[in-house]
Amino acid sequence: MCKLYLYTNFLHAMNPENRQLAAILFSDISGFTAIMETNEERAMLFLAQSRELHQVAMQKFDGKLIKEIGDGMLCSFDTISQAVDAALFLHRETNRHYEFELGIGIHSGEIIFRENDIFGDAVNLASRIQSLSKPRSILISDKIYQEIKNKNQYQIAELGRFHFKNVQEPNTIYALANEGIYLPHKKEINGKLKSKGLSNPAYFKFALVFSLCVCVLAFFFRNDKSDQKSASNPVIFVSPVENKSSDQSLDDLGFMARDWINQGFIETGKISVIKEENYLSNQNISLIQIPKSANTHIKGTLYKNEQEELLIAFEIINLETGQIEYGIKSQPFAKINFNNHLEELIQKLLGYFLSTASYRTNGIKAPKFNAYESFIKARQTPAIESYRKLQYLLDAIELDSNFVDPYFSILELASTWGYRSTNDSIVALLEKRSAILNGHQFLQFEAHKARLRGDLERSSDIQWKLYTQYKLESGATKAMYYDVSANKPSAAIRKFHQFKPVRTIEIRENSRDQAFLGEIYEAYCALEQYDSVVYRIQNDKIPVLHFTIALAHIEAMIHLKKWDTLDRLLKHYTDYIPADQQLYTKPALYWKAVCEIYLQDDPTRLAPYIEKLNTTNEENPNNMFYHYYKGMVYYLTGDFKNAAIQQVMHFEKTPQFRFFIAFPAVCFIKLRQYDQARAWMEKIKDIGSGYPGQLEYAHAVYHCHLNDFEKAMKHLRNALSQGYEFDFYSYKKDILLKEIGEYEPFQNFTKPR
């Protein structure tokens, strides 16, 4: 019976009707085993999502999902173009809508169909090609390449020749290089490859001789005075140059020197720099603590000699050994020539870390010192004093119009505080000076212009490039922020897993360095993966110092219905998180709880939290949102008259925090005072928008409460296209849009992409 079964299968396989040419696509979920070990529920969710996505791809491109192999999918297609287009579709959809990533391999050849399965060398080779893939990469064989190489829609890069296990000859492997697809380097590729045997005795002789040569060369180069850094991957902290002279007018030269050294390092794109933007008086420089994540400290000192000439000396200190590894100093110079000597010292410092062929940069020259003094005064001014801060920055530009740092500071200030007209003016001025921007400044400018156009996705892409090309960690964290703001939380989480911050230690200790984590937890909330928020906070064991993390944690607890834990968290965070962070005040945590419970339409549960919000707000009457919170309490308890009064007061008294500009109009509509509601909308229209898309968003809220959902949706789409951000208070999270929450176009519009 067994022989008959085998013989029948043999004849079945040999039947020409069951053999055919096909394109084979293998895919698997990157890092699935690790995900399974830490969160089995999420792993199974990813697997189900991957299965569903592949089924859609098969329908769209006339393919067949043959079977699942663990977390992988084996698919076949009649044509090569169908297989490649399906791979691009899978990549695009996972990038837009899912948190997991795929690695894909494609090959073509003759296969055997048997009982809804496929066999043959082509299947085996496709599997091996897939084993080489990295997350978000698509690898193809030479057969695939030959068929598509002349088609303009496919961009292809050769990776090299690879010798697979149980395959007689090496195969040339290529990778699709279309925009957004990860292109792996040959050195990082591993998989089902044939091991490189060391059985040849001649090989051992060569290896032995080579090793001896390396040791001898290492001995000599170890003692070479070439000033070349031997340690790999320096993480550099540059402290302000300390003024050791009695001339206090030279104090700020130390900050100027530090900033320009940092600029030089960043521009190379090859050195990790921990930037500190503190501008203490020089007598407190000794109080500046070296970040624990740094392994190299550059310390500078400024002197005056007997002839009243200046000298600057630098020491490069290995923080792991505490030893001074290198020292340089300038020739004596007059203060007027400070910039030239600073540039020479920067080039020497760069030369210590990099080869002479790569260290020289084309960065802009240091500015006039008096302009830099005004810039430092602006930096020393608290953000809340935005008008005084702005004046110092304008003074710096007037003193040196080619000093670009103040322009960027004004752009940052205007974006945060809603000065749209100021933004437009500074952009116009910088456009005229674009030729003097160095590499990373040019990208920062392009990212800001994209943000002003409302193109959040473009801004995210540029910011990510600042991280990958110039090692600017702020580029990575801003990229995640803009992905969340563009309603692309999965993209933010993917970047988070690729982000390797050098300041890993400081994240535990510094609220500022935790800010990006708040964006990631908000991304998990947007995907309704509330258990992931709780898991990460508990598993990472990082003390929560930034209020955005607390907001996400509170939202997760409400959706998971963990009310006792919620109450403990609210009390803990309200007492523990310092209320000096921009936009954060102690009532904000209860405000978040009230918003989430209100949107869930649970009035019984809501009432005590409204009371707690009111109590906390009255206990902190100086908080910047006092009138807004007070008006919100009135609104939620049905007192729309007093709610309108408080919301108008918030609008008039805090022009820098006009986020909820349609709120008074909503109160007037609730009171059936439609003329006053229209008048209010005209008023805010005349004042203008402080933030991209803000007026469109306000009109969406207004029409929502007039029950004109179609017009409200039109304004919401306009608001997003102009850059109004998805945030912890907007769109699905906005209590003023609750009425439209069940409207299907709104649900589709706000679904994470």
Side-chain angles (χ1 to χ4, degrees), residues 29 32 35-36 39-51:
I29 299 173
F32 185 81
I35 299 170
M36 193 74 172
N39 192 329
E40 183 176 342
E41 185 177 342
R42 285 186 67 211
M44 298 311 296
L45 172 64
F46 289 171
L47 187 57
Q49 291 174 335
S50 177
R51 181 188 304 118

Side-chain angles (χ1 to χ4, degrees), residues 266-365:
I266 290 169
E267 190 61 19
T268 68
K270 298 176 182 179
I271 299 173
S272 296
V273 180
I274 297 179
K275 287 182 64 178
E276 287 285 356
E277 295 187 343
N278 47 29
Y279 295 91
L280 307 169
S281 60
N282 222 42
Q283 64 265 26
N284 292 324
I285 281 180
S286 59
L287 300 178
I288 296 177
Q289 294 187 349
I290 300 171
K292 296 176 183 177
S293 297
N295 58 31
T296 305
H297 178 206
I298 297 180
K299 179 181 178 182
T301 312
L302 176 69
Y303 299 91
K304 263 189 178 180
N305 62 18
E306 294 178 354
Q307 288 75 37
E308 292 295 299
E309 296 173 310
L310 302 177
L311 298 96
I312 296 182
F314 285 103
E315 296 174 343
I316 297 176
I317 303 168
N318 185 327
L319 294 174
E320 295 171 355
T321 64
Q323 300 296 312
I324 298 174
E325 293 191 340
Y326 184 52
I328 59 172
K329 64 179 180 180
S330 69
Q331 296 295 320
F333 61 90
K335 181 178 177 180
I336 194 172
N337 295 323
F338 171 73
N339 289 11
N340 292 336
H341 285 271
L342 177 59
E343 178 62 23
E344 289 178 9
L345 291 169
I346 289 173
Q347 296 300 338
K348 289 180 180 179
L349 288 169
L350 291 172
Y352 173 73
F353 291 97
L354 303 170
S355 67
T356 55
S358 62
Y359 73 75
R360 223 162 249 286
T361 67
N362 294 316
I364 58 174
K365 299 292 184 182

Side-chain angles (χ1 to χ4, degrees), residues 633-703:
V633 169
Y634 282 129
Y635 179 83
L636 294 176
T637 53
D639 187 349
F640 302 119
K641 180 179 179 180
N642 279 315
I645 293 171
Q646 292 298 323
Q647 294 300 340
V648 171
M649 290 179 69
H650 173 71
F651 184 89
E652 299 292 349
K653 291 191 173 186
T654 55
Q656 71 273 38
F657 291 116
R658 289 174 174 171
F659 298 133
F660 317 99
I661 58 177
F663 211 149
V666 172
C667 296
F668 294 137
I669 291 172
K670 294 289 187 183
L671 293 167
R672 301 182 184 276
Q673 297 174 357
Y674 299 107
D675 289 342
Q676 284 185 263
R678 282 192 293 271
W680 181 262
M681 296 305 293
E682 286 298 318
K683 177 178 179 176
I684 62 175
K685 181 180 178 181
D686 291 339
I687 292 173
S689 173
Y691 301 93
Q694 188 180 29
L695 283 176
E696 288 288 344
Y697 189 87
H699 278 88
V701 172
Y702 173 71
H703 286 289

Side-chain angles (χ1 to χ4, degrees), residues 307-519:
Q307 288 75 37
E308 292 295 299
E309 296 173 310
L310 302 177
L311 298 96
I312 296 182
F314 285 103
E315 296 174 343
I316 297 176
I317 303 168
N318 185 327
L319 294 174
E320 295 171 355
T321 64
Q323 300 296 312
I324 298 174
E325 293 191 340
Y326 184 52
I328 59 172
K329 64 179 180 180
S330 69
Q331 296 295 320
F333 61 90
K335 181 178 177 180
I336 194 172
N337 295 323
F338 171 73
N339 289 11
N340 292 336
H341 285 271
L342 177 59
E343 178 62 23
E344 289 178 9
L345 291 169
I346 289 173
Q347 296 300 338
K348 289 180 180 179
L349 288 169
L350 291 172
Y352 173 73
F353 291 97
L354 303 170
S355 67
T356 55
S358 62
Y359 73 75
R360 223 162 249 286
T361 67
N362 294 316
I364 58 174
K365 299 292 184 182
K368 296 176 181 176
F369 179 58
N370 56 356
Y372 211 89
E373 284 182 309
S374 290
F375 175 70
I376 290 175
K377 288 177 182 177
R379 289 288 191 168
Q380 291 171 330
T381 303
I384 197 71
E385 299 179 35
S386 57
Y387 290 110
R388 190 160 70 94
K389 195 178 188 77
L390 177 62
Q391 190 56 55
Y392 281 130
L393 293 170
L394 293 173
D395 289 345
I397 291 173
E398 186 176 354
L399 290 166
D400 187 346
S401 62
N402 288 330
F403 178 24
V404 297
D405 282 25
Y407 293 93
F408 282 104
S409 293
I410 292 173
L411 290 177
E412 183 181 340
L413 186 71
S415 297
T416 302
W417 300 90
Y419 303 147
R420 185 61 186 266
S421 59
T422 304
N423 247 324
D424 295 340
S425 301
I426 293 299
V427 166
L429 289 172
L430 263 181
E431 286 281 14
K432 296 178 180 179
R433 292 162 177 78
S434 58
I436 66 173
L437 300 179
N438 58 28
H440 73 276
Q441 289 172 336
F442 177 79
L443 287 179
Q444 287 174 325
F445 187 38
E446 290 299 306
H448 189 85
K449 288 191 292 183
R451 174 67 190 95
L452 288 179
R453 294 194 305 269
D455 193 345
L456 297 171
E457 295 182 30
R458 172 66 175 159
S459 189
S460 172
D461 290 342
I462 298 173
Q463 293 289 357
W464 189 248
K465 190 173 182 180
L466 280 164
Y467 169 62
T468 57
Q469 188 167 325
Y470 291 102
K471 296 183 180 291
L472 274 176
E473 293 192 7
S474 61
T477 55
K478 286 180 180 177
M480 295 178 219
Y481 167 77
Y482 286 126
D483 280 337
V484 174
S485 299
N487 200 23
K488 296 179 64 178
S490 294
I493 292 170
R494 277 196 297 275
K495 289 185 175 72
F496 170 65
H497 289 302
Q498 296 172 42
F499 179 41
K500 306 296 181 187
V502 296
R503 300 194 66 168
T504 52
I505 301 172
E506 282 74 14
I507 288 172
R508 302 186 60 84
E509 304 172 356
N510 190 326
S511 63
R512 183 190 63 192
D513 291 318
Q514 287 189 3
F516 79 96
L517 289 176
E519 300 299 329

